[in-house]
């Protein structure tokens, strides 16, 4: 079945506390709607469980006049991680990616990178309105950064860091079209540099 409450909370288990930031068992993450009641997690790793409000919203009694604070901890799984064949799976009882809020979005990223032990080929500290793409160009890579903005809120970009995992050790980072060789850090096959571009578009060439 599903929970009867129309507001529920997701509380991390001890093995996933670091993924949830400032949320924890006492102060779990809130989600609107109901959630399926999973009877068993099998051999999956339980990363979070469901916490219910003190009272059901349909009841005449209430714990708070302004909200539905978390009060009843359960062992109902909310988020699971499990190896499946040659892959790894994360299952969630709530639509983590469905809320247009920073905390659930950050949790999704951490679940993919940390709970699944996945290393992304490209990562950056760029602001949300910057798009970064990488193209193969023969034996080289071309990396583009684009500020996705409109005239009324356009701005000069702040510095941000880019980390790119390549198939082999990079030799040089070149700014195009002027051909300037830029400072960067190379550790094995990983290239790391800081974009100081102030315009809306920049192109970098990675040579091997």
């Amino acid at each position: 079945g599903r929970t009867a409450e129309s507001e529920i909370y997701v509380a991390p288990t001890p093995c996933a506390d670091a993924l949830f930031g400032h949320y924890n068992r006492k102060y779990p993450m809130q989600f609107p709607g109901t959630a399926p009641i999973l009877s068993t997690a099998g051999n999956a790793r339980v990363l979070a469980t469901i916490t219910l409000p003190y009272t059901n919203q349909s009841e005449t009694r209430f714990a708070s006049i302004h909200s539905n604070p978390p009060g009843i901890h359960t062992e109902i799984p909310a988020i699971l991680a499990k190896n499946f064949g040659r892959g790894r799976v994360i299952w969630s009882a709530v639509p983590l990616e469905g809320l247009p809020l920073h905390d659930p979005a950050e949790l999704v990223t951490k679940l993919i990178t940390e709970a699944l032990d996945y290393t992304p080929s490209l990562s950056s500290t760029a602001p949300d309105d910057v798009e970064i793409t990488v193209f193969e160009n023969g034996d080289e890579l071309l990396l583009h950064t684009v500020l996705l903005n409109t005239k009324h809120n356009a701005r000069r970009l702040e510095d941000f860091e880019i980390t790119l995992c390549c198939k082999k050790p990079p030799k040089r980072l070149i700014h195009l079209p002027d051909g300037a060789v830029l400072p960067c850090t190379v550790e094995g096959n990983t290239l790391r540099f800081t974009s100081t571009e102030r315009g809306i578009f920049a192109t970098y060439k990675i040579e091997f």
Side-chain angles (χ1 to χ4, degrees):
R2 299 185 68 90
T3 58
E5 292 74 10
S6 58
E7 292 281 339
I8 63 167
Y9 296 84
V10 172
T13 56
C15 71
D17 271 334
L19 303 179
F20 278 74
H22 53 271
Y23 295 97
N24 51 46
R25 181 174 171 84
K26 185 177 181 180
Y27 301 105
M29 187 179 290
Q30 183 178 11
F31 286 90
T34 63
I37 300 173
L38 195 65
S39 58
T40 177
N43 61 350
R45 188 158 51 109
V46 180
L47 303 179
T49 55
I50 292 175
T51 297
L52 302 175
Y54 283 100
T55 56
N56 190 324
Q57 290 83 352
S58 63
E59 297 183 47
T60 55
R61 65 192 184 100
F62 56 87
S64 171
I65 194 171
H66 296 298
S67 63
N68 299 293
I72 303 175
H73 298 293
T74 76
E75 297 304 315
I76 301 172
I79 302 176
L80 303 174
K82 179 180 180 180
N83 291 334
F84 190 81
R86 292 189 299 172
R88 284 166 288 185
V89 175
I90 287 179
W91 177 87
S92 175
V94 295
L96 295 174
E97 73 289 352
L99 293 182
L101 301 173
H102 172 76
D103 291 334
E106 186 177 45
L107 176 59
V108 170
T109 302
K110 288 183 177 180
L111 285 170
I112 293 173
T113 57
E114 297 181 37
L116 291 185
D117 191 24
Y118 168 75
T119 301
S121 58
L122 176 68
S123 60
S124 175
T125 59
D128 292 341
D129 53 359
V130 171
E131 179 183 74
I132 303 174
T133 53
V134 181
F135 299 93
E136 290 186 354
N137 182 38
D139 293 332
E140 304 167 339
L141 294 179
L142 294 179
L143 187 149
H144 301 301
T145 64
V146 184
L147 176 62
L148 304 176
N149 240 317
T150 55
K151 292 181 179 179
H152 73 276
N153 61 354
R155 68 185 192 284
R156 297 179 71 83
L157 271 176
E158 59 269 32
D159 295 352
F160 56 87
E161 188 176 89
I162 297 174
T163 301
L164 180 65
C165 297
C166 307
K167 295 180 181 179
K168 53 185 177 181
K171 291 182 179 178
R172 291 201 308 172
L173 176 69
I174 299 173
H175 183 268
L176 297 180
D178 57 17
V181 178
L182 300 179
C184 63
T185 301
V186 176
E187 297 176 358
N189 294 353
T190 301
L191 172 77
R192 184 175 293 107
F193 70 99
T194 299
S195 173
T196 58
E197 185 69 40
R198 293 293 178 260
I200 64 172
F201 183 84
T203 300
Y204 304 93
K205 181 171 68 171
I206 296 102
E207 292 184 342
F208 297 93

